[in-house]
Amino acid sequence: MIEVQHLTKRYGRVTAVEDVSFRVERGEIFGFLGPNGAGKTTTMRILTGFIPPTEGKAIVAGFDVFDQPIEAKRRTGYLPETPPLYPDMSVIEYLTFVAKIKGVPTAERRQRIQAVMERTRIDDMADRLCSKLSKGYRQRVGLAQAIVHNPDVLILDEPTAGLDPKQIIETRELIKELAGDHTIILSTHILPEVSQTCQRVVIINKGHVVALDTPDNLTARLRGSETMYVQVDTNGLDAAGALQRIAGVTRVAESDRRDGLVGYEIESQHGRDVRRDLARAVVSNGWGLLELRPMRMSLEEIFLSLTTEETPTPMPAITEGEPVHE
Amino acid sequence: MSNILAIAHKELKSYFASPIAYIVIGLFALLYGYFYVAILAYFVRQSLQMSEFGGQGPQAMDINQQLIRPLMTNVTILVLFVMPMVTMRTYSEEKRSGTIELLLTSPLTDFQIIMGKFLGALALWGIMLLVSMIHLAILFVYGREWKPLLTAYLGLLLLGGCFLSVGLFISTLTKNQVVAFMLTFTVFLFLWIITWIGSFAGPTVDSLTQYLSIIDHFDDFGKGVIDTTHVIYYVSFITFGLFLTAKSVDSERWRA
């Protein structure tokens, strides 16, 4: 549905985006993650045809954004960072104008606008001036504007920025509802948002792609080995030796100890599940097993470790392809 | 075409949603009225003097030559002040509020956007001219001929179009409306007084500046004459202004 090939954008001597490539399949929600100034907005602006790339190409819904801009734009809905509202128009006037310039046929226009207003829950604000809308409503009108012509591709630049928690949840739900009919790219710097809404994520930093995978794989893959956390009640005995002997365990480290309860971090070989053996070893020694859980890096940690890396290249392990065993 | 009209309609509506349309129309109508009354009073006094001579004066009183023509010449000065106000926000405002992103990511060509904006502004100018016709309507009570007036108004419409096309171009250059206003005003003042150096700089420069002077071309329209030279001048001026606008919008895209 969307194909980006070796996209590069330079402003004078400043390189905003360099050699970015990815594909997004039909119906997918694709997350764009990166710190501020990483090149998310630039990439999105190229995809929507707002600015041309310096090098590389972008194909949206089968049309080259640069060679056939009108066809590509007809199939793209775009919500910029600040919703592009005309303050002196009412919501319904605004959507009518957008529907006209996006090429919604006159016969369908009214019905289409009504459907979109209901879907984004702004129908109670139809006659309100855009300048009088609250931030949450502005964002929703922006979203309504993006889907009014029923585009194949939706590009949303930080759709939840500046909303309150309830609105954020509503917006996320709405985005999930829209996936399926539409292929969605959304950018954000809020990490939980990505793991909650997106099927795949690209992390970009300083204009480079540093990782591209599913949120689950990203969390799983970043460490070469699996780590488990076990908390046991050994009545003061040291369990480390017994745990170390389990086949597949590479390292045991005590992580905390209080009131006779000891917590261990247990690293095992990559792709080897040692949970059953761990549980058996603890129980057969007559200790109490209080907690056993896999320790994974949160997306925050991955994000930080990827984006604070001096050079983005030493993370070659994090590319798409190879399946992950847990 | 429907895209152009959609944008023109939106532009026209946005003039009336802000105070700009009312201020511009109001100022124009007020000053137009003042010029009209002043010139009419002068005309009436002259006619009276003429009739005291028993119609034996040096020449017959001609309402076209002695009322309409000086009136139109004065009105063109109003255009100089009023037009920059109309165009100063067209692109600047879209850039400032970010709505330009909507227009440029919609399935529209630059040509459609520019023509839409131009026609929207021209429609406002048309409304201003319609309002000003109220004054002239009084003349028809005494059985006026309408053709010279029509040519004068055609001239005004074209003259206004020139201002609008260049004003549109200048508003693509800046996000700041005041800057857009000042630049537009300066450019037109310059085109107005460009003939001043002509008389000192020799015959070639003189004829060149006269050709460039935006106001010299209006004179015939005021007299009630439609000369294709002047029509072509104005139409090509407008085309050139819109062409510059298109180039500026396009280059903006590469720099943005």
Side-chain angles (χ1 to χ4, degrees):
Chain A
M1 205 74 223
I2 300 169
E3 202 176 333
V4 171
Q5 294 167 354
H6 309 291
L7 216 57
T8 299
K9 178 71 187 176
R10 290 191 200 94
Y11 299 106
R13 242 180 287 159
V14 183
T15 304
V17 171
E18 191 163 6
D19 197 23
V20 167
S21 303
F22 58 84
R23 276 179 72 101
V24 185
E25 303 302 331
R26 179 179 286 276
E28 209 177 1
I29 306 184
F30 188 76
F32 233 73
L33 198 59
N36 289 331
K40 289 175 294 193
T41 300
T42 304
T43 311
M44 293 191 146
R45 283 181 163 177
I46 293 171
L47 284 177
T48 53
F50 182 62
I51 49 172
T54 314
E55 275 164 44
K57 66 190 216 172
I59 295 164
V60 171
F63 295 96
D64 190 304
V65 174
F66 200 53
D67 293 336
Q68 292 164 291
I70 300 292
E71 290 303 315
K73 286 171 182 174
R74 220 187 279 286
R75 290 162 181 80
T76 313
Y78 175 41
L79 171 63
E81 227 171 319
T82 39
L85 309 183
Y86 288 102
D88 46 29
M89 286 190 196
S90 73
V91 170
I92 197 140
E93 280 175 336
Y94 174 70
L95 290 176
T96 309
F97 171 66
V98 176
K100 274 189 206 165
I101 61 170
K102 300 270 183 186
V104 178
T106 322
E108 295 168 29
R109 210 176 283 149
R110 277 179 73 96
Q111 178 216 343
R112 186 72 207 143
I113 289 168
Q114 194 55 39
V116 162
M117 287 202 300
E118 275 162 27
R119 191 148 203 193
T120 51
R121 293 175 210 97
I122 52 172
D123 37 345
D124 49 335
M125 292 288 167
D127 297 316
R128 182 79 66 98
L129 280 185
C130 288
S131 57
K132 301 269 190 262
L133 293 175
S134 71
K135 174 79 189 160
Y137 271 106
R138 296 173 71 87
Q139 202 73 20
R140 275 189 259 172
V141 175
L143 208 53
Q145 162 275 126
I147 59 177
V148 74
H149 55 306
N150 200 15
D152 295 334
V153 173
L154 259 183
I155 296 178
L156 312 172
D157 199 351
E158 305 203 353
T160 56
L163 300 183
D164 68 36
K166 184 166 169 283
Q167 293 168 334
I168 288 179
I169 292 168
E170 283 173 4
T171 308
R172 276 181 203 154
E173 290 306 314
L174 182 61
I175 291 170
K176 279 192 216 166
E177 276 172 39
L178 292 172
D181 299 352
H182 312 270
T183 306
I184 300 176
I185 296 191
L186 67 89
S187 79
T188 179
H189 51 243
I190 307 165
L191 295 137
E193 187 157 291
V194 169
S195 45
Q196 282 168 26
T197 46
C198 301
Q199 281 132 24
R200 281 193 312 139
V201 183
V202 62
I203 299 182
I204 64 169
N205 186 37
K206 293 177 189 156
H208 292 267
V209 172
V210 290
L212 174 62
D213 212 328
T214 64
D216 284 347
N217 284 1
L218 277 180
T219 27
R221 233 173 322 128
L222 198 77
R223 289 192 164 175
S225 57
E226 309 277 322
T227 307
M228 292 291 161
Y229 175 83
V230 195
Q231 197 184 42
V232 289
D233 179 2
T234 59
N235 290 317
L237 288 166
D238 188 16
L243 298 175
Q244 187 78 65
R245 279 191 294 277
I246 298 166
V249 170
T250 50
R251 200 174 73 91
V252 177
E254 192 179 306
S255 70
D256 60 287
R257 173 192 287 267
R258 67 188 153 83
D259 308 336
L261 307 180
V262 193
Y264 296 98
E265 277 176 23
I266 295 159
E267 280 175 31
S268 58
Q269 287 159 4
H270 182 53
R272 182 152 184 170
D273 192 350
V274 294
R275 279 177 292 187
R276 289 169 198 81
D277 298 326
L278 272 176
R280 205 170 295 125
V282 172
V283 173
S284 65
N285 278 297
W287 301 323
L289 178 60
L290 298 170
E291 197 176 341
L292 170 61
R293 62 179 160 88
M295 283 182 73
R296 285 166 148 197
M297 256 176 129
S298 71
L299 216 48
E300 266 93 350
E301 289 169 285
I302 296 177
F303 182 66
L304 284 177
S305 83
L306 286 173
T307 55
T308 50
E309 211 60 61
E310 280 304 308
T311 48
T313 31
M315 304 306 306
I318 325 271
T319 42
E320 219 169 359
E322 186 192 333
V324 167
H325 313 281
E326 288 198 5
Chain B
M1 193 61 204
S2 69
N3 284 336
I4 295 178
L5 289 180
I7 291 176
H9 182 224
K10 175 225 125 195
E11 286 292 315
L12 189 60
K13 230 162 63 176
S14 80
Y15 285 123
F16 283 94
S18 70
I20 289 191
Y22 303 100
I23 289 178
V24 162
I25 293 174
L27 281 179
F28 184 72
L30 190 75
L31 290 170
Y32 188 105
Y34 179 78
F35 284 139
Y36 178 68
V37 169
I39 294 168
L40 188 66
Y42 182 71
F43 181 77
V44 168
R45 202 182 66 195
Q46 277 207 317
S47 321
L48 273 173
Q49 283 173 355
M50 290 293 250
S51 61
E52 278 165 21
F53 288 118
Q56 301 290 307
Q59 64 185 89
M61 289 298 288
D62 179 349
I63 205 161
N64 280 335
Q65 282 299 313
Q66 274 145 314
L67 177 67
I68 305 295
R69 199 175 157 204
L71 176 66
M72 287 305 150
T73 312
N74 284 307
V75 167
T76 54
I77 294 168
L78 288 181
V79 179
L80 178 65
F81 288 91
V82 160
M83 285 298 155
M85 284 191 241
V86 174
T87 54
M88 65 182 185
R89 62 197 287 278
T90 40
Y91 266 94
S92 318
E93 182 67 18
E94 305 253 14
K95 273 159 80 174
R96 205 184 51 77
S97 70
T99 45
I100 192 79
E101 273 193 84
L102 171 67
L103 294 184
L104 293 188
T105 58
S106 293
L108 301 170
T109 59
D110 287 355
F111 174 77
Q112 289 170 336
I113 299 174
I114 292 164
M115 276 315 277
K117 284 181 172 292
F118 176 71
L119 290 180
L122 199 66
L124 180 66
W125 176 222
I127 292 172
M128 286 158 68
L129 290 179
L130 275 179
V131 171
S132 74
M133 281 181 187
I134 295 169
H135 303 299
L136 299 174
I138 293 169
L139 295 179
F140 285 88
V141 177
Y142 304 98
R144 279 290 308 140
E145 211 193 333
W146 55 272
K147 282 173 191 156
L149 278 179
L150 199 70
T151 58
Y153 269 78
L154 175 70
L156 280 179
L157 194 71
L158 286 170
L159 180 70
C162 294
F163 277 83
L164 294 174
S165 71
V166 170
L168 208 59
F169 164 60
I170 289 170
S171 84
T172 62
L173 302 177
T174 172
K175 283 185 188 175
N176 189 318
Q177 298 188 9
V178 179
V179 171
F181 179 91
M182 291 309 295
L183 280 176
T184 312
F185 182 76
T186 309
V187 166
F188 279 102
L189 192 60
F190 180 69
L191 283 174
W192 213 269
I193 57 180
I194 196 167
T195 44
W196 289 7
I197 56 158
S199 41
F200 308 107
T204 321
V205 177
D206 193 25
S207 62
L208 185 72
T209 54
Q210 256 174 38
Y211 187 73
L212 285 178
S213 167
I214 190 155
I215 207 63
D216 280 14
H217 290 273
F218 182 74
D219 210 32
D220 275 349
F221 287 105
K223 284 181 204 158
V225 176
I226 299 180
D227 183 338
T228 45
T229 319
H230 304 314
V231 176
I232 288 170
Y233 169 85
Y234 282 140
V235 170
S236 32
F237 194 108
I238 291 170
T239 312
F240 184 62
L242 296 179
F243 170 77
L244 286 181
T245 314
K247 285 292 143 196
S248 168
V249 170
D250 197 38
S251 80
E252 176 82 9
R253 196 171 276 158
W254 289 92
R255 282 179 286 124

